[in-house]
Amino acid sequence: MASTIQPRLFKGCRDALPEDMIPRREMLEVMTRIFETFGFAPVETPAIEFLDILLGKYGEEGDKLIYPLAYKGGRTLALRYDLTVPLSRLVAMHPELPRPFKRYQIQPVWRADRPQPAQGRYREFYQCDVDTVGSPSLMADAENVAVCYRVYEALGLLDDEAGLVMRVNNRKLLRVLVTAAGLDADQDKTVCTALDKIDKIGREKVAAELDEKGISADATHRLFQLIAVSEENGGRPTATLEALRATLEGVPGAGEALDEMAALFDGLAALDVPDERLRFDLVLTRGLDYYTGPIYEFQLTGLASFGSLGGGGRYDDLLSIYGVGDIPATGVSIGLSRVQSALVKLGRLESRKSPTRALVLHLEDVPQTTSLRLATRLRGEGIPTEVWFEPSRFKKQIQHAVKLGIPFVLIQGPDELERGVVQVKDVRQGRQVEVMESDLADHLRSAD
RNA sequence: GAGGAUGUAGCUCAGUUGGUUAGAGCGCCAGGUUGUGGCCCUGGAGGUCGUGGGUUCGAUUCCCAUCAUCCUCCCCA
């Protein structure tokens, strides 16, 4: 006897059961509809990319999280880490694509993280990306945020219990702040990764980390003062913007960065994204290296420890790596898997185990082909129908419907057949009515 | 990558201060009731006590290692 194989999954990967897939499909319908409303066109890329296509784009930390694949003795391949870099590669390979190229893409990505289900963190998860390649306009960035806003709105995440917040900032502005604090502009990455943690670990620990990295206490102090501006103004776009204009007057580059933010907020207003939803947050930095301009990240205040539900930004320099010259681009990603986990955690997801609306019960005296004919008629009317195949007791058949959440069971024995009727039992309420065969489809459609 | 906790039935967990055949609830299967589920009753299946080693007359229990899972941090979706 051959030894058995233990069925198991790689850490951080999950199966999606019907009760997961049914709501997911509904979410996908909502998303694709909204994406297409904005004029984004669908695209897919392979799960596997050459390793050098991916390396060096995400930063030191990001590179470590790329899954390399062993192939023919080498490690030249990898699973994609996000959808932005594969998109850049795709655009570089297709110079004929009319620009601006607006595309959306919904596919899984893989990260060699430590999984933490409670925070919605997995190694394999779905991203839904929307990008505009070939336009430097801040209006494209505004659309990124707006399209996400519409999705979260449609999924019901705007109420106080969920508390969606859309944080926005700008890499250029961060560089300005770094210089304004008396530091070298290229120290911005070091500073940013430290600053990013300020909400979680507090000022003192961030100061300690900066000290370790060789940043003077004086510069750190000035940085903290500058960054406090957004918090002091509650992150309100206009107030924060005005305060920064005053604070950063005369600082080189400050005008351009703040003009960008002003344009972004104007665009968002025109796209009907309410101001109250936005937080101009100078602490937001984002870890990926490729961002160059506006950046954004979306979270739920109702699930504070939960990871972000989406984020993105402008990456004007990424395409040039593939030797196609300077092509500006900006994009955003919604974490489908994480959004779904969040909805589950909030108890918002009604999950069915089957799409079936009616189950035709098996009766001893009725040939199976008769049941199949009934099912075929209903299916032709668009009613999801299944047939019980075994000669089981009614108890078992009805229980099956209950377990799967099938609302109706249909009983048609010799007597009903002769009279051209069907017994329709609503297993949720236990009510049973006799319905003419000709009215059956309408009855099943409307009854609820 | 850093730190912490936990592994006993499909699930949630008892338990053995080291002692024969390891328990409960829920779930599952069958029957009571083969044209009507949910309640009730009866019976049944299901466990290498995570794995390997050590101590011991004897280990699920004590010790060591290992693996797995979960949590916190980091980072993000």
Side-chain angles (χ1 to χ4, degrees):
Chain A
M1 189 51 93
S3 60
T4 58
I5 296 162
Q6 181 65 227
R8 70 213 126 102
L9 278 177
F10 183 54
K11 190 202 285 273
C13 297
R14 303 175 290 171
D15 290 319
L17 295 171
E19 59 260 45
D20 306 313
M21 280 311 290
I22 290 171
R24 182 186 296 177
R25 298 275 305 250
E26 289 168 2
M27 292 168 67
L28 283 171
E29 271 172 45
V30 167
M31 284 188 187
T32 53
R33 180 174 50 76
I34 292 171
F35 291 168
E36 295 191 359
T37 300
F38 278 75
F40 293 96
V43 132
E44 283 201 356
T45 66
I48 300 170
E49 294 278 353
F50 283 111
L51 189 55
D52 64 344
I53 296 282
L54 306 184
L55 279 177
K57 316 297 187 296
Y58 307 112
E60 211 178 305
E61 292 297 312
D63 281 359
K64 279 191 220 157
L65 299 180
I66 296 174
Y67 268 117
L69 297 174
Y71 178 67
K72 289 191 174 174
R75 291 192 146 215
T76 58
L77 303 176
L79 293 171
R80 63 166 168 254
Y81 174 90
D82 71 353
L83 302 179
T84 304
V85 170
L87 169 70
S88 303
R89 192 226 74 224
L90 178 148
V91 170
M93 286 176 73
H94 291 274
E96 79 283 3
L97 284 170
R99 294 204 286 263
F101 179 50
K102 297 182 75 168
R103 85 87 175 81
Y104 72 88
Q105 183 173 354
I106 300 172
Q107 290 191 276
V109 302
W110 293 268
R111 295 185 188 176
D113 240 347
R114 174 153 303 190
Q116 237 164 282
Q119 295 177 14
R121 174 208 228 90
Y122 297 93
R123 283 182 174 171
E124 179 186 66
F125 57 94
Y126 271 83
Q127 288 198 319
C128 309
D129 272 41
V130 161
D131 291 75
T132 298
V133 180
S135 170
S137 170
L138 276 301
M139 295 307 110
D141 290 280
E143 279 199 344
N144 287 341
V145 177
V147 77
C148 292
Y149 174 78
R150 293 292 163 223
V151 168
Y152 296 131
E153 177 187 46
L155 296 176
L157 291 170
L158 298 188
D159 58 282
D160 289 345
E161 192 198 6
L164 176 78
V165 186
M166 312 188 93
R167 303 163 69 204
V168 295
N169 196 11
N170 193 308
R171 276 281 165 88
K172 285 176 188 163
L173 183 57
L174 283 166
R175 288 175 73 88
V176 168
L177 292 178
V178 169
T179 49
L183 294 165
D184 235 17
D186 46 319
Q187 285 178 289
D188 63 336
K189 272 179 206 163
T190 316
V191 173
C192 281
T193 45
L195 285 181
D196 197 35
K197 306 171 190 171
I198 206 162
D199 280 342
K200 285 207 169 181
I201 64 176
R203 288 188 174 210
E204 281 173 31
K205 286 189 180 172
V206 171
E209 190 172 324
L210 286 171
D211 181 56
E212 229 171 87
K213 298 257 166 75
I215 308 288
S216 73
D218 188 40
T220 301
H221 180 68
R222 262 184 289 174
L223 266 175
F224 283 170
Q225 273 186 324
L226 289 168
I227 275 174
V229 171
S230 58
E231 204 186 327
E232 284 159 7
N233 290 280
R236 276 166 296 146
T238 312
T240 307
L241 204 50
E242 278 170 14
L244 282 171
R245 287 224 192 262
T247 310
L248 296 174
E249 203 176 356
V251 178
E256 187 198 340
L258 292 173
D259 286 349
E260 282 196 2
M261 292 307 283
L264 179 66
F265 289 131
D266 284 347
L268 284 167
L271 291 161
D272 277 342
V273 177
D275 242 22
E276 313 84 72
R277 197 58 63 180
L278 303 168
R279 298 269 184 291
F280 190 165
D281 191 347
L282 295 169
V283 168
L284 175 69
T285 65
R286 298 198 45 88
L288 301 183
D289 264 8
Y290 52 62
Y291 292 120
T292 56
I295 48 179
Y296 9 93
E297 194 166 306
F298 318 128
Q299 285 160 335
L300 297 182
T301 51
L303 291 177
S305 66
F306 216 67
S308 70
L309 299 200
R314 178 164 282 280
Y315 47 98
D316 285 343
D317 297 337
L318 181 54
L319 274 287
S320 67
I321 288 173
Y322 302 113
V324 290
D326 289 336
I327 301 178
T330 182
V332 71
S333 178
I334 296 177
L336 173 68
S337 309
R338 185 165 285 174
V339 170
Q340 188 169 358
S341 302
L343 288 170
V344 169
K345 243 189 165 174
L346 289 166
R348 305 279 179 92
L349 222 54
E350 183 199 339
S351 61
R352 279 174 298 145
K353 295 187 172 177
S354 165
T356 302
R357 186 120 177 109
L359 172 67
V360 183
L361 297 200
H362 178 283
L363 282 90
E364 258 180 323
D365 311 326
V366 177
Q368 291 256 287
T369 47
T370 306
S371 303
L372 290 179
R373 282 200 187 89
L374 177 60
T376 302
R377 285 201 298 283
L378 291 173
R379 288 166 182 166
E381 295 272 352
I383 310 244
T385 307
E386 61 181 293
V387 174
W388 188 266
F389 299 125
E390 323 308 328
S392 320
R393 298 167 54 192
F394 266 33
K395 173 171 183 162
K396 183 162 183 164
Q397 301 188 50
I398 294 171
Q399 282 292 355
H400 186 254
V402 170
K403 278 184 217 157
L404 290 190
I406 298 170
F408 301 103
V409 297
L410 308 182
I411 301 157
Q412 193 176 39
D415 171 58
E416 285 87 357
L417 270 168
E418 203 171 305
R419 294 191 290 123
V421 298
V422 177
Q423 302 289 340
V424 178
K425 185 185 179 82
D426 184 332
V427 298
R428 297 165 301 184
Q429 304 161 31
R431 286 212 201 114
Q432 183 167 324
V433 292
E434 187 173 287
V435 179
M436 296 282 292
E437 269 191 52
S438 52
D439 299 335
L440 186 56
D442 282 341
H443 178 86
L444 292 175
R445 242 193 303 273
S446 58
D448 245 324

